[in-house]
Structure formats: C-alpha cells, structure tokens
Amino acid sequence: MKRFSKVATMFTAGVLAFGSMAAVASASDYSLTDPADLTFAAQEVGTAAYNYAAALQTVMLQELPEGSNIAITTTSPGGVGAPIIVNAGDQCDLVMSNSAPAKWSAEEGILGNDPTTEVAALAGGLGNDFINVMFTQKFVDDTGITTIEDLVEQKYPVKVVIKTTGTLGELAAEKVFEVLGVTFEDIKSWGGTVEMTGGDAIKSGLQDDLYDMTIDHIGAGQSNTTELCLTHDMYDVQMADSTLEALVELGFEYVTVPANTWNLQTEEIKTVGSQQVVLVDSNMDDATAYNLTKAIVEHRDELAEAVSSMSYFDPQTGGTMAMTGVALHPGAKAYYEENGYPVE
C-alpha cells in the first residue's frame, strides 16, 4: 500500500476586526494539488461493504485532484474487524466498518487485539441496519414464550443459531444476551445450544425447526431472512425498552423497523443498530480527509442512487459519535463545522 504525505496548501486570510487581524478558515485552506493514491478495503464483491465502497470511490474521486487513485481491495474482514486493518494505516487508508465495533475496538480492543488508537471517522450513519431477533412460531406455540426477557428469566433450554465468530451478527447476539446478564455458556448450562454457522445454514435450520431462535444484525430486504419469513412462520421479537436502552449505552443507536418489513410482520418493531461508517488512518493528512468528507456529504444523492440504503445518511448526524463510534478525523471535523453540521 502506498502511503501519502500531507498535500494541503495552507494560507492565512486576514480580516480587520476591532482594529486587529484575525485568521479566517475557509475551504481553500484544504485545497489539494497533488494526486492522492489511496487503498479502500472492503469485503468480497457482492457484499454490502463492497457496494458501499464502490459508490464512495466514484464520488470521492470527483473531489480529489486529477490523476488520483482509490484502489478497492477485498481484504476487509467485515465491520467487526475493519478498525484493526486501518489502524495507523496498517493495511489500508480507508475501510467500511460499523460504528459499534469501531467504538469497542478503540476503547477496549476486539477479536483478541489491542485497542485501535490510530483510527478516525469521516462519516457515519450510512445505512439502516438493525438487530433482528426472531423465534420460530412453533417455539412460541409450544412454550408460550414471546420475549427474550421471559426466555432468560425462565432459563429455558433454547436452541439458538447465529452467525459465525467474528461477524457482527455473532457479536450482536452476544451483546443482547450480555445486557440481560447471560452468556452463551449460561444458555448451554440450561440445556440449550448455541450454534454458529453461515447464513444459508441458519435459514434452512430454522425452516426445519432444528433451532428455536436467531439473532442477527441485518437490513431490510436481507435475502436469507426475507426467504425464511416467506417459507416458514416466524415470530418477530420485541425487546423491552430497558434492554434497548442498555444496548444503546454499549454503542448501538435506536432504529425502527416498519411493519411489513418481513412477511407476516404486521406491527413495527423498535430495536437498535450499528450503522456503516467510513474509517480512515488517523494520520491521513487533513486536506485529504476534508475533501473525502466533502465528497460524501455533497454527493449524497448520487450515493443514494447507487445504494438505496445510503439514502439514510444525514450530515446533521453523520459526524456525531452515535453514528461514527470513534472521533472524527480533524479534516472531516473541519468540513462539518465549516458547513454548520453538528460534530462531537
């Protein structure tokens, strides 16, 4: 990967105020002259992360000098592991992540790694993903249990199936049970099971009633869940307000899932989610970060046309910690402040 040096041309504009000169910052403070050569890590072709990166690449190049290059690689381990590979530009300059894992990675480290201290954000809230909790209807009919809080209180020997270790789906399930004071080992001690596998196996296992429930972190229209709900009766679980509040304290943000998102889901579901965020090496020069952020904000209509879920991006919240998980890069912060958008 090619690293790049600071290429901003800085100057001071003086204005007369109360008989003295005061410096005034402007967009021209962050002008770029030399082409940038960046590496943008995503997952494999066809994943949401790759689609986001491809759309962002297109608009970002419009705000960089002619001759700039943004190479998309498929080296990202996904939203959970993404902060690790961009830390201090370790393997890339930019990466798609999710805000909650970015927060956990920066504060305490994840996946057995030390905290990622050299990571910053450009923009968050690029999506509308959410924690999705479902029981099979057969499980509800057989047990009368309709909430995850009741399940935990009864210590019912439930058969749980979730995504594999290292995915946000697995981590989301872990966090849901964590705020209820339960671990996967506790569930096993009740006589239950927790199996981790791929999306197709989760779908087919629930269709065959080999499992009772699943927890995932997904968006509306996710193919496996859509097909599951069309082919098997599922029960959409509403988590208690206290559970949702505890998850928000961990770094998630409130999300409402509209009625009819899934087949037979006749009422809206209140839940939480962790949205997509663009992370960068915190050592990236300010001018490059400024112009990349400008591209995201000022070309958001193009992004929404390319990837519909990116229509949820709102610059009024895109620079806040609730959406980024980690602090903004100084160059990104300068752009938001200059244009009157809230920052943290």
Side-chain angles (χ1 to χ4, degrees):
M1 180 194 71
K2 295 181 180 179
R3 300 301 301 277
F4 49 96
S5 61
K6 190 167 184 177
V7 293
T9 301
M10 304 294 292
F11 71 91
T12 302
V15 295
L16 186 61
F18 302 106
S20 63
M21 301 299 289
V24 176
S26 68
S28 56
D29 292 321
Y30 299 97
S31 61
L32 290 167
T33 56
D34 297 332
D37 189 6
L38 309 175
T39 301
F40 197 158
Q43 290 176 281
E44 64 269 19
V45 175
T47 61
Y50 188 92
N51 294 338
Y52 277 59
L56 288 162
Q57 175 200 48
T58 299
V59 301
M60 286 174 171
L61 286 172
Q62 297 179 48
E63 299 297 337
L64 295 176
E66 185 176 353
S68 293
N69 178 59
I70 301 177
I72 298 178
T73 71
T74 55
T75 55
S76 173
V80 173
I84 299 166
I85 68 169
V86 77
N87 192 35
D90 185 33
Q91 298 177 46
C92 60
D93 303 300
L94 304 93
V95 70
M96 295 305 306
S97 183
N98 291 84
S99 57
K103 172 182 171 67
W104 303 328
S105 183
E107 292 180 351
E108 58 196 45
I110 54 175
L111 302 179
N113 291 273
D114 293 332
T116 52
T117 58
E118 295 185 79
V119 170
L122 298 184
L126 293 160
N128 196 47
D129 293 349
F130 49 86
I131 294 181
N132 193 60
V133 184
M134 285 183 168
F135 294 151
T136 65
Q137 187 63 52
K138 182 179 185 301
F139 174 76
V140 173
D141 293 342
D142 289 347
T143 66
I145 295 174
T146 60
T147 71
I148 194 167
E149 292 81 12
D150 285 345
L151 184 151
V152 169
E153 183 177 357
Q154 295 183 33
K155 297 183 179 180
Y156 191 88
V158 63
K159 294 176 289 186
V160 184
V161 62
I162 57 175
K163 293 281 182 62
T164 54
T165 300
T167 63
L168 186 51
E170 181 268 338
L171 200 53
E174 179 181 299
K175 296 298 183 182
V176 168
F177 283 115
E178 176 184 313
V179 299
L180 294 171
V182 173
T183 67
F184 293 158
E185 291 305 312
D186 290 328
I187 294 171
K188 295 173 185 178
S189 74
W190 306 339
T193 59
V194 179
E195 184 162 340
M196 302 178 189
T197 186
D200 286 340
I202 291 173
K203 177 187 67 179
S204 60
L206 289 165
Q207 288 171 326
D208 295 337
D209 288 312
L210 300 177
Y211 309 108
D212 301 319
M213 70 171 294
T214 188
I215 301 176
D216 203 352
H217 189 276
I218 56 177
Q222 195 251 25
S223 57
N224 279 327
T225 304
T226 298
E227 183 179 342
L228 170 65
C229 294
L230 288 170
T231 57
H232 196 66
D233 289 345
M234 299 297 296
Y235 184 92
D236 302 283
V237 178
Q238 175 62 68
M239 290 185 281
D241 288 345
S242 57
T243 303
L244 297 177
E245 183 179 353
L247 288 167
V248 168
E249 291 177 358
L250 289 182
F252 291 97
E253 185 64 21
Y254 289 107
V255 177
T256 297
V257 181
N260 302 311
T261 295
W262 312 119
N263 186 46
L264 302 181
Q265 177 215 338
T266 58
E267 297 181 2
E268 71 176 24
I269 299 292
K270 294 187 298 181
T271 182
V272 297
S274 171
Q275 305 316 323
Q276 295 277 350
V277 58
V278 182
L279 299 181
V280 298
D281 169 15
S282 60
N283 301 301
M284 175 181 282
D285 66 271
D286 291 355
T288 299
Y290 177 98
N291 284 278
L292 294 178
T293 305
K294 177 183 179 183
I296 297 171
V297 175
E298 298 186 10
H299 296 271
R300 56 189 182 276
D301 289 343
E302 293 176 51
L303 293 173
E305 288 180 9
V307 181
S308 61
S309 56
M310 297 182 85
S311 63
Y312 288 96
F313 172 66
D314 182 355
Q316 291 291 341
T317 58
T320 63
M321 286 288 285
M323 292 299 174
T324 62
V326 296
L328 287 172
H329 188 286
K333 184 177 181 182
Y335 177 83
Y336 287 114
E337 289 180 333
E338 183 179 288
N339 290 278
Y341 297 122
V343 296
E344 293 180 46

